[in-house]
Amino acid sequence: MKIRLHDKDFVPYLSETEIDKAVTSIADQINKNFQDKKPLFLAVLNGSFMFTSDLMKKIEIDCELSFVKLASYHGTQSSGEIKELIGLSDNIYNRHVIILEDIVDTGTTLGHLMEVLKTHDTASISIATLLLKPDVFKKKYPLHFVGMEIPNKFVVGYGLDYNESGRNLKAIYQLEE
Ligand code: XMP
Ligand code: MG
């Protein structure tokens, strides 16, 4: 079913079932790779809140969760403009940090977060993203866990917004051509 947010129409793209499969595959890999490492998940707000919640329910190893905020996106185009990192108050020294992102587009946002994290003495830094747009990703750093690769089209739902609307949608929708 088509939905309208602000001035644009969106069509169904990824179902709840498809999303769940992608989340499960990321959780399985983390459960395997980080056993006895007590990873610290660092979820990037706002977009990753729903992915984070569903992923955490599938994590069966000892872990911690913290949230940071770093917005750089306006409308349907990646602005490239960087804002400040808020919320990195926990001690990440010597911790296995796993960044949780909803989507990696050009990778600019995450690149900035990585620069900040690299100045801390972490044990390791990994990235888990539900979605990746490989055609636009500038590949400045490795992405360890990718739920699904998608074409370079604007998507909303499951935490992702179009001008703050659509985050509550259970499925993911694509901008109608
Ligand atoms: P960059 O280009 O820095 O962008 O990797 C990443 C951030 O931009 C947002 N983003 C999107 N949000 N639908 C959205 O709702 C999209 O298709 C989309 N592409 C990028 C997102 O907040 C992400 O953290
Ligand atoms: Mg985001």
Side-chain angles (χ1 to χ4, degrees):
M1 214 190 9
K2 211 193 269 190
I3 55 151
R4 191 166 181 83
L5 299 171
H6 300 288
D7 56 336
K8 297 198 191 309
D9 289 320
F10 293 84
V11 292
Y13 178 57
L14 296 171
S15 68
E16 284 183 75
T17 310
E18 288 169 302
I19 295 167
D20 184 68
K21 243 172 109 179
V23 176
T24 302
S25 107
I26 292 175
D28 287 349
Q29 294 175 67
I30 292 174
N31 283 327
K32 236 180 261 162
N33 296 5
F34 288 87
Q35 211 160 22
D36 306 316
K37 286 187 174 157
K38 196 173 181 174
L40 170 63
F41 290 100
L42 219 53
V44 185
L45 292 172
N46 294 328
S48 72
F49 80 92
M50 207 175 277
F51 167 51
T52 298
S53 171
D54 285 345
L55 181 81
M56 292 306 282
K57 287 181 258 180
K58 296 174 193 283
I59 296 297
E60 290 158 355
I61 57 174
D62 190 15
C63 65
E64 289 178 16
L65 169 64
S66 187
F67 294 87
V68 292
K69 191 158 182 167
L70 183 73
S72 80
Y73 211 77
H74 303 282
T76 58
Q77 291 252 305
S78 188
S79 64
E81 138 201 345
I82 292 303
K83 285 185 188 170
E84 210 189 327
L85 175 66
I86 309 157
L88 194 70
S89 55
D90 300 87
N91 194 0
I92 61 171
Y93 172 76
N94 214 18
R95 297 298 304 269
H96 292 281
V97 174
I98 305 176
I99 299 168
L100 300 182
E101 262 286 17
D102 48 353
I103 188 165
V104 175
D105 194 296
T106 61
T108 309
T109 310
L110 202 47
H112 185 66
L113 177 56
M114 292 292 287
E115 286 308 310
V116 176
L117 289 182
K118 275 184 200 159
T119 66
H120 293 75
D121 287 321
T122 57
S124 69
I125 304 171
S126 307
I127 299 165
T129 182
L130 178 66
L131 303 174
L132 168 68
K133 293 180 179 173
D135 298 343
V136 275
F137 180 53
K138 287 173 187 154
K139 299 185 187 76
K140 289 180 216 151
Y141 40 80
L143 299 175
H144 307 81
F145 311 104
V146 176
M148 221 177 297
E149 296 193 347
I150 64 167
N152 185 21
K153 284 185 189 162
F154 191 76
V155 290
V156 293
Y158 198 73
L160 292 151
D161 71 301
Y162 168 46
N163 288 346
E164 297 306 323
S165 287
R167 294 195 196 277
N168 54 308
L169 298 165
K170 289 189 189 78
I172 293 175
Y173 295 73
Q174 199 173 52
L175 185 64
E176 193 180 46
E177 298 291 318

